[in-house]
Amino acid sequence: MSMADLGGEKKSVVVIGGGVAGSLVAKTLQNEANVSLIDEKEYFEITWASLRSMVEPAFAKRSVISHSEYLPCAKIISSAAVDITDTDVLTKQGSQISYDYLVVATGHTQNGAWTKTDKISQYQAEYEKIKAANSILIVGGGPTGVELAAEIAADFPAKKVTLVHRGSRLLEFIGESASKKALNWLTSKKVEVILGQSVDVNSPSDGVYRTSDGKTVDADCHFLCIGTPFGSAWLKETILKDSLDSRGRVMVDSNLRIKGHNNIFAIGDITDVPELKQGYLAQEHAKVAAKNITSLIKGVEDDHKLAVYKPATKALAIVSLGRKDAVAQFPCLSLAGRIPGMIKSGDLFVGKTRKGLGLKPDV
C-alpha cells in the first residue's frame, strides 16, 4: 500500500545516477513516492551488453533504454548533480530539488554520449572502426577487454587481435582456473595475449605500438578497456565530503545508508561494500535500499526492522566469449564453453533486464 493509498502526502525521493543500481531503485519506488532521477545521460544502458553493441550496433536499440521508457511516474532531470545539502540537491543546470530521502548511485565516471541517439551512433562508429581495421589492439585484460577481444574474434575471425594486459593473468578478479580457461579460449581463436606489460596508446608510430618491455604491436586501431575512476569526486564539495574513504568510495552501514545520515543511501559500485563490483550485485543493493526507503516512508522507526545487505563473499561471474561460449566462476568450480555460454552469451541477459524494468524483452 502506497502513501497515497494511506491518505498521506507522498515523500520525495531523489536518485542521483541512472546506471544499473539507480535505475532499478527509481523504478521500484516511482509509485511509492515522488521520485526524481538526476542523471547526465538521458538513458540507462545495460552495461554488460555494451561490447556486443560494438560488433552489432543494432543490439544497442534494446540495451540502451531512455529513462522515460521505464519511469513513467518519475521526474527525470538530465543534468549532473553538483551539490548536496541536508534538504536539497543542486544540479549543474541550476535546478534545486528537495528530498526526504536521497540515493547516491553515481558509479564510475562517464564520458560523452548523453542521448540515446548519440550512444547508438557511437556504437555504429566503433563498429565501422572495427570493420575497417585488419589488426586491432585491446589494452586491458579484465572482463571488458576479454569480452571485446572475444566478440571481435567470434564475429571477425580474419582480423588480427592483440590483447595487452599489465597483470600476470587475465580476469584477476576470479580464480586462476577460470582465468586460464579464458586465455585458452582466446588463443584458440588466434588472439595474441601479452601479459605483464603496459602499452602507450598515445604515440603509435605508423600503426606500431610499443609495450613497456620494448615489444612492438602492429595495429590499425586500439580500444582502451581499463577501469574508470569512481564517480565520487564531486561529493567532496557536499555535505558528504567526510563520508568517503581513502579510495573515494562512499562508506555505508549494513542498511546501505551513508554513515551518519539516516535518510541518505548509497548503492552500487560507488560504495565501500567489501565485494566485487558487479552489475547483479548493484541490483541487489537497489532492492535493499528501495525496501528500506519504503519502510521508512511507512513510519518504521526501529533500525533493527530495516533490511540488511550481506556482502557477496564468494566470486560468481560469467564472462561471455563471443555469441555461444563463456567462462564461468562459481563458488566451487569454473566452467568454460557452451554450457555457461547458454546462460549468458546469446542475449547477455538483455531480455531479463528489460523485463525487470517492466519493458518488453524483445523490441
Side-chain angles (χ1 to χ4, degrees), residues 10-17 22-38 70-77 97-101 103 290 293-294 297:
K10 281 189 175 182
K11 296 290 187 180
S12 296
V13 176
V14 174
V15 180
I16 306 174
S23 62
L24 184 56
V25 80
K27 187 263 176 187
T28 306
L29 293 173
Q30 65 180 331
N31 294 317
E32 299 294 325
N34 291 321
V35 172
S36 297
L37 176 68
I38 301 172
Y70 67 92
L71 291 176
C73 301
K75 183 179 180 183
I76 300 158
I77 298 102
I97 302 110
S98 62
Y99 66 87
D100 296 300
Y101 300 97
V103 182
I293 291 170
T294 300
I297 286 173

Side-chain angles (χ1 to χ4, degrees), residues 3-222:
M3 282 301 295
D5 294 329
L6 293 169
E9 188 176 337
K10 281 189 175 182
K11 296 290 187 180
S12 296
V13 176
V14 174
V15 180
I16 306 174
V20 173
S23 62
L24 184 56
V25 80
K27 187 263 176 187
T28 306
L29 293 173
Q30 65 180 331
N31 294 317
E32 299 294 325
N34 291 321
V35 172
S36 297
L37 176 68
I38 301 172
D39 189 13
E40 280 186 285
K41 308 184 311 305
E42 294 177 1
Y43 59 87
F44 158 63
E45 179 173 18
I46 303 172
T47 49
W48 46 86
S50 61
L51 302 165
R52 178 67 50 79
S53 298
M54 291 175 67
V55 298
E56 184 189 343
F59 199 75
K61 292 174 183 175
R62 292 176 60 229
S63 61
V64 179
I65 303 162
S66 296
H67 291 314
S68 57
E69 290 182 58
Y70 67 92
L71 291 176
C73 301
K75 183 179 180 183
I76 300 158
I77 298 102
S78 297
S79 180
V82 293
D83 195 12
I84 297 170
T85 70
D86 289 320
T87 56
D88 298 272
V89 178
L90 184 67
T91 70
K92 190 175 183 179
Q93 68 183 23
S95 300
Q96 193 166 328
I97 302 110
S98 62
Y99 66 87
D100 296 300
Y101 300 97
L102 175 64
V103 182
V104 181
T106 44
H108 294 267
T109 54
Q110 302 283 331
N111 291 313
W114 307 122
T115 70
K116 180 176 178 176
T117 302
D118 287 347
K119 190 63 181 176
I120 291 172
S121 296
Q122 187 181 79
Y123 282 128
Q124 184 66 40
E126 288 171 338
Y127 167 75
E128 299 294 347
K129 180 176 167 182
I130 292 168
K131 191 179 173 184
N134 291 315
S135 52
I136 298 162
L137 167 65
I138 295 171
V139 181
T144 303
V146 168
E147 288 197 356
L148 179 58
E151 291 286 350
I152 296 171
D155 276 24
F156 300 95
K159 297 187 186 298
K160 170 62 179 168
V161 179
T162 304
L163 188 155
V164 178
H165 180 54
R166 68 171 62 209
S168 60
R169 64 183 178 91
L170 300 175
L171 304 174
E172 290 157 300
F173 73 105
I174 56 178
E176 286 191 35
S177 174
S179 171
K180 194 162 186 0
K181 286 179 171 72
L183 175 62
N184 290 342
W185 189 94
L186 289 174
T187 53
S188 76
K189 302 296 181 184
K190 310 240 176 345
V191 175
E192 182 182 0
V193 179
I194 301 171
L195 297 171
Q197 295 180 50
S198 57
V199 61
D200 182 6
V201 297
N202 295 314
S203 54
S205 176
D206 295 324
V208 178
Y209 297 80
R210 195 170 296 276
T211 70
S212 50
D213 78 344
K215 182 179 175 68
T216 57
V217 177
D218 294 332
D220 297 326
C221 66
H222 75 269

Side-chain angles (χ1 to χ4, degrees), residues 281-298:
L281 295 178
Q283 290 179 318
E284 294 304 311
H285 290 199
K287 292 172 188 174
V288 169
K291 189 174 182 181
N292 285 335
I293 291 170
T294 300
S295 295
L296 293 169
I297 286 173
K298 291 180 177 177

